[in-house]
Amino acid sequence: MSYAGIVANVSQVFMLVVVVYGYIYTVRPVFQKELVSEDLARLQIEQRKLQQQMDKQTETLAAGEARNKELADQRSAIEGQVATLNQKVVVAERSARDATRRAGKAVAEAKTAESALSILQTQHYGLKLQSLLGDLALPSSVVQILNRSGSTYTLNVFEEAEANSIAQKLKSLELQPVDLAKTTLSQLQAEATKQARAPSAALDALLARNYKEGLAKYAEDLRCPTPAYADWQSAFQSAMQASESNIQNCVSEYWADRTTQEGWTPSDVRSLQKSDFWKEQERTYRASCKVGYSYIVLTAFNHAWEKADEPCNERRMFVNHIVMGAPITSKLKPMTVAAPPTTQDITQLFQNRHSKQAEAGL
């Protein structure tokens, strides 16, 4: 083979290599670039379409979110209204139950009040009837005073035959107004406890409570000073021991009056003193003087004791008025410790009585 042929073959091979190399590094990249450009253009078009779709979806989503927010707000408002309505329903049901309960209570109270009114009307009628018939019970304090007076009345205290027991009898008559009030309070409290279920229970309890407060307030005004009972007994005994001299003076005065009336001379008197007439008349005058003296002593001591006991007795009679602060028609006398009559007082009273009898021609 010639050199030219070899060179030609080599040139062809070289050209083939150049063509292949050119194709690979020039034509093919350009072709691929065009393909890539076409793909890029296509992708850009698709991207724009997708972007448009995304923009539309974004707008739709925003509109949906706005609508959802609006619906959520409406739902929240509706739920708030429902909660408020439910609360109002609960309050209305509670109010209805309370109203029903109050109505039932009012009906029960009305029935109770009606029953209480009926009972009170019956009691009022009964009290009116008892007042009309004179059957009303006396206050407990008055009952105790009457029992005290009935058991040991002062007329039975000052007796000559029982002069040694006068102090004891007078002491038995002692009845402090405050003790009467305490007894009445116990009765009121017992009555309030007994009538605890009665319609008037509240009034009974109120009366007992007010009476207790009044007793605590006026207790000192209801305590009377204690008399010296032994002094009264001693004074009575002294008065009775002085009876003989007073009786003798009384008999002498009788004879003096008789002598004046009859015009007797001293000799007539001496002569008559030896006769039975004088002795009989002496016994008559003595008996009369003794009765008169005993009457004066008894009357004086009874009157003096009543005067001494009068302030305390007033408080016994008005004890409930004092405790309850009720007005009293007359002013209460001040409490004092009175002394019994003396022997001189009795003698003077006896002499005054004899003088009055003489003036009256008895």
Side-chain angles (χ1 to χ4, degrees):
M1 186 176 227
S2 64
Y3 181 76
I6 296 171
V7 172
N9 290 333
V10 171
S11 298
Q12 291 179 352
V13 171
F14 180 75
M15 283 295 293
L16 181 59
V17 171
V18 171
V19 171
V20 171
Y21 179 82
Y23 175 76
I24 292 172
Y25 291 100
T26 57
V27 177
R28 186 179 177 188
V30 172
F31 179 73
Q32 290 179 342
K33 178 182 178 184
E34 290 297 329
L35 291 176
V36 171
S37 296
E38 289 179 0
D39 290 339
L40 180 60
R42 182 175 53 79
L43 291 173
Q44 288 177 345
I45 292 171
E46 291 179 355
Q47 182 182 8
R48 283 196 295 272
K49 290 180 179 180
L50 290 173
Q51 186 64 42
Q52 290 176 354
Q53 292 178 356
M54 289 178 63
D55 291 341
K56 290 181 179 179
Q57 290 178 353
T58 300
E59 292 177 357
T60 303
L61 180 61
E65 290 177 349
R67 180 61 179 169
N68 288 338
K69 185 176 181 304
E70 181 181 356
L71 293 175
D73 293 340
Q74 291 178 356
R75 178 182 176 182
S76 177
I78 292 172
E79 288 177 348
Q81 293 176 356
V82 170
T84 302
L85 291 175
N86 287 334
Q87 186 176 2
K88 289 181 178 180
V89 168
V90 172
V91 173
E93 290 177 349
R94 187 183 301 115
S95 299
R97 288 195 298 270
D98 292 341
T100 302
R101 185 170 57 254
R102 288 196 301 270
K105 184 178 180 181
V107 171
E109 290 177 350
K111 291 181 179 179
T112 303
E114 183 179 359
S115 175
L117 178 60
S118 177
I119 293 173
L120 291 176
Q121 287 176 339
T122 302
Q123 292 176 349
H124 180 72
Y125 177 81
L127 289 174
K128 285 289 186 180
L129 182 59
Q130 288 179 348
S131 176
L132 180 65
L133 301 178
D135 294 335
L136 282 177
L138 292 174
S140 59
S141 57
V142 176
V143 173
Q144 292 186 63
I145 293 172
L146 293 176
N147 290 336
R148 162 185 177 264
S149 301
S151 59
T152 49
Y153 192 59
T154 51
L155 289 176
N156 300 324
V157 173
F158 297 104
E159 294 180 338
E160 183 178 2
E162 299 182 5
N164 294 329
S165 62
I166 289 177
Q168 181 180 356
K169 287 184 177 181
L170 289 177
K171 188 174 182 180
S172 68
L173 288 174
E174 183 178 0
L175 184 60
Q176 289 286 349
V178 68
D179 294 331
L180 292 176
K182 290 177 180 178
T183 301
T184 301
L185 175 60
S186 299
Q187 291 176 348
L188 290 175
Q189 290 175 335
E191 185 67 19
T193 302
K194 180 180 178 181
Q195 302 294 336
R197 297 182 178 273
S200 60
L203 294 178
D204 293 338
L206 177 61
L207 180 60
R209 186 165 58 252
N210 290 341
Y211 197 93
K212 182 178 181 180
E213 293 175 356
L215 177 56
K217 182 177 180 180
Y218 298 107
E220 290 303 319
D221 297 333
L222 298 174
R223 288 189 174 90
C224 303
T226 302
Y229 301 120
D231 292 347
W232 284 80
Q233 177 174 314
S234 176
F236 183 81
Q237 289 173 334
S238 298
M240 296 310 299
Q241 289 171 0
S243 63
E244 184 58 34
S245 60
N246 283 283
I247 291 172
Q248 188 60 45
N249 291 334
C250 173
V251 172
S252 299
E253 289 176 358
Y254 269 122
W255 280 121
D257 293 340
R258 182 69 178 272
T259 300
T260 302
Q261 292 174 3
E262 299 292 341
W264 292 334
T265 63
S267 61
D268 293 334
V269 172
R270 287 192 296 271
S271 175
L272 288 171
Q273 286 177 346
K274 299 176 183 180
S275 65
D276 294 335
F277 162 77
W278 187 276
K279 295 178 182 179
E280 184 67 27
Q281 197 65 41
E282 177 88 9
R283 285 194 295 270
T284 302
Y285 288 155
R286 185 174 183 82
S288 177
C289 290
K290 185 175 182 180
V291 171
Y293 186 80
S294 298
Y295 175 79
I296 287 294
V297 173
L298 179 62
T299 303
F301 272 86
N302 282 331
H303 181 70
W305 178 257
E306 289 175 0
K307 292 293 291 183
D309 192 51
E310 187 175 7
C312 194
N313 197 46
E314 283 184 334
R315 285 159 177 80
R316 295 188 194 103
M317 296 301 298
F318 294 106
V319 60
N320 293 336
H321 291 73
I322 296 172
V323 171
M324 298 304 290
I328 301 174
T329 55
S330 59
K331 186 176 180 180
L332 295 175
K333 296 177 176 61
M335 288 188 290
T336 56
V337 179
T342 63
T343 303
Q344 292 76 13
D345 295 333
I346 299 298
T347 300
Q348 187 63 46
L349 288 172
F350 188 61
Q351 291 175 353
N352 292 342
R353 174 182 177 276
H354 184 74
S355 298
K356 291 179 181 179
Q357 287 180 341
E359 292 175 359
L362 299 176

